[in-house]
Amino acid sequence: MSVLVQLFSNRQFQSIAFVQMLTVFSTNLLAPILPVHFKLQGLSESEIGFIMGIVSLGALVVRPWSGMSVDLRGSRWTILFGQILTLIGIAAFVWTTSFWPLLLLRFYQGIAMAFYGTGSITFASCVETPENTSAAIAYFSLFTMIGLGIGTSVAPLVYGSLGFTPVIAISLTAVLGALLFMKAYSKPVPRCESDLRAPFRTVLTTKVVLAPSVCLFASNFALGTAFTFVPLLSLTQGITHYFVFFVAFSIAVVCARLGVQAINSRWGPERTSIGASLLNALSALLLAVLPSIGTYAVAGILIGFGFGIVYPTLAGYLVQHVNPANKGTALSILSGAGDIGNALGASVLGIVAQTMGFTAVFAGAALVIIACTYYFYSTLLIRRQAGMH
């Protein structure tokens, strides 16, 4: 039986794949329209950047607890808890309109994201045999990208034709459906014994955790920058069809997830991650030097392939190289690094956008990605090659 057939006949994998698709669709239905919605309400670029970025800071603050929640209470419990928090956060947008309440709400949403995200990736990594773990993560992340792709593609169209409140209603319906399905259809996965578990700081400082985390930081820095500032850049240019970036991204990221297993088998996880990161950097550079509708499409394709490849590659690498008892903690650190990237890409570069313009925003993003990619390369690939001689 092939790995693909084995996975899709696994009830636990069916559960987490469907739930992930619905949950990611829900949260990413808001992602492309919030910057535009906030701008039309009179908020500045720097305020919008802080509001969009602080969600990742909220996630980062609780990542150690979300990882421990998975290791101690189980991934299913953590998923359900995160989904309940997510429902409350989405509903609150109906009554929240000014800067400080929105900042607090987005911080709260980050907390919800941390619990759900850490629980879901750990659940997905536990539903199959060890030799099929990478495939399980890769195909699980494919459903992540399907949900993300559909959400980001249709969001500008729904918002433009129906308005903000119907978008919130659709988002709430999707999360509620995911929660009910997870509770009814899935079952808990076994946990490792606690006496095998290393302290959080020990896991954090190991090179097989730290270097992939820096690499994912760069990937999410690129994504956070693009998702926040491509819509705002298009407004300044009078381009209304910025959705082409999100459509191109969605198609590319799904294609990337379909092929990530084969790419990893051919090139290895280290080289694959480096190549994907350089695609992210090239996408940012294109947006910096030649913003147009055509560039939006090409940049969306590049970052779609880059982001689509890098996360499942790094997560699979991590699962294969850490103590199974620390899997939840290690994956929470990896996700936390992505949270930092999202936060800085949106918030810090929001100030840059207001003071120096969008060219500086995307050029700065490209430099950060290149620097982090070199660190990953020098920490893992060069030293591994040196050890072989």
Side-chain angles (χ1 to χ4, degrees), residues 13-23 143 177-178 181:
F13 182 80
Q14 293 168 7
S15 300
I16 193 60
F18 182 70
V19 166
Q20 178 74 351
M21 183 178 67
L22 277 183
T23 305
F143 282 86
F181 188 88

Side-chain angles (χ1 to χ4, degrees), residues 140-154:
F140 161 79
S141 64
L142 171 62
F143 282 86
T144 304
M145 293 301 103
I146 292 173
L148 186 150
I150 296 172
T152 55
S153 297
V154 305

